[in-house]
Structure formats: structure tokens, C-alpha cells
Amino acid sequence: MSFDERIEIIIENGEVKQEEKKKKSYGSYFTGILLIGLGILFFIPELKLFPYIFLVLALCYIPNLFIKDKLKSSLHYFLWFIGLFIIFYFNIIVPGILILVGIQILISGILKSNSKFN
């Protein structure tokens, strides 16, 4: 059995059955998007590289938004990286951080009250 496989024990009608299931490797999506995005950034000569790194990091979390187990944490990371991109792109550090933290607190409250995301 490889590292990406796991054994799931199922009990049906008092009978124990084992099934092997492969875990999907979502980390490869993150790494692939990150490397492609950073590589593209280096092709644009007039680009201020720093804020766009946050944009690339935010885009890396988009595939994880469709995974039920990773939705909550991925949404937090996605919002933070998009927010940091906007803050540094428009150079609005103090008000931007305050707004970003406020949005994060609101999203956390919404996700906590909605049992679907827990």
C-alpha cells in the first residue's frame, strides 16, 4: 500500500469489511499553480513583484475551496492573500489591515454559525 492509500473499515450487517481508498493529492495543485504563477511574474519586466506574489498565493488556494474538508481554512488563506495583495498594491496599509481583519472576523462568525462548514 502506498503512502496515498488508506484502509477504511466498514461495518455492514455486523460484518467487518476493509476497503482501500486513495487520497487525492491536492497539494500538487497548490505547488503547480504556485510555480506557474511565480514563473509568469518573472516574464513581466515592469511589474512590481512583491504584491503579485500574494495574488499568486491566493490563486493557489482556489482548488481547495471545492474540497469540503479544506473549505474553511482555504477560504481564510484565500481572503488573506487577496486582501494583502490589495493592501500592498494600493499602499493602504493601516486601513487595509483593519478592514481585512474585520472581514476575517465576520467570515469566521458566519462559518461558525453555519453547521455545514464545521
Side-chain angles (χ1 to χ4, degrees), residues 20-21 29 32 47 55-56 69 72 84 94 100 103 116:
E20 291 183 18
K21 293 197 172 192
Y29 296 142
L47 190 67
L55 182 62
V56 169
D69 296 343
K72 190 175 180 180
L84 289 171
V94 175
L100 185 57
I103 290 171
K116 180 172 116 177

Side-chain angles (χ1 to χ4, degrees), residues 6-10 17-21:
R6 64 184 169 128
I7 296 176
E8 188 171 294
I9 298 175
I10 301 171
K17 298 180 180 180
Q18 290 185 357
E19 288 186 9
E20 291 183 18
K21 293 197 172 192

Side-chain angles (χ1 to χ4, degrees), residues 37-52:
L38 290 176
I40 290 171
L41 290 179
F42 284 105
F43 280 117
I44 306 169
E46 297 88 27
L47 190 67
K48 295 186 300 182
L49 194 61
F50 179 66
Y52 289 96

Side-chain angles (χ1 to χ4, degrees), residues 30 51-61 73-88 100 104:
F30 178 89
Y52 289 96
I53 291 173
F54 290 121
L55 182 62
V56 169
L57 286 170
L59 294 176
C60 291
Y61 282 96
S73 65
S74 296
L75 183 61
H76 288 292
Y77 287 123
F78 178 76
L79 289 174
W80 269 100
F81 286 129
I82 286 291
L84 289 171
F85 166 72
I86 292 169
I87 286 168
F88 287 106
L100 185 57
Q104 185 67 39

Side-chain angles (χ1 to χ4, degrees), residues 96-116:
I97 293 290
L98 292 173
I99 292 170
L100 185 57
V101 169
I103 290 171
Q104 185 67 39
I105 291 169
L106 287 174
I107 296 293
S108 293
I110 291 169
L111 291 178
K112 269 187 187 171
S113 66
N114 190 344
S115 62
K116 180 172 116 177

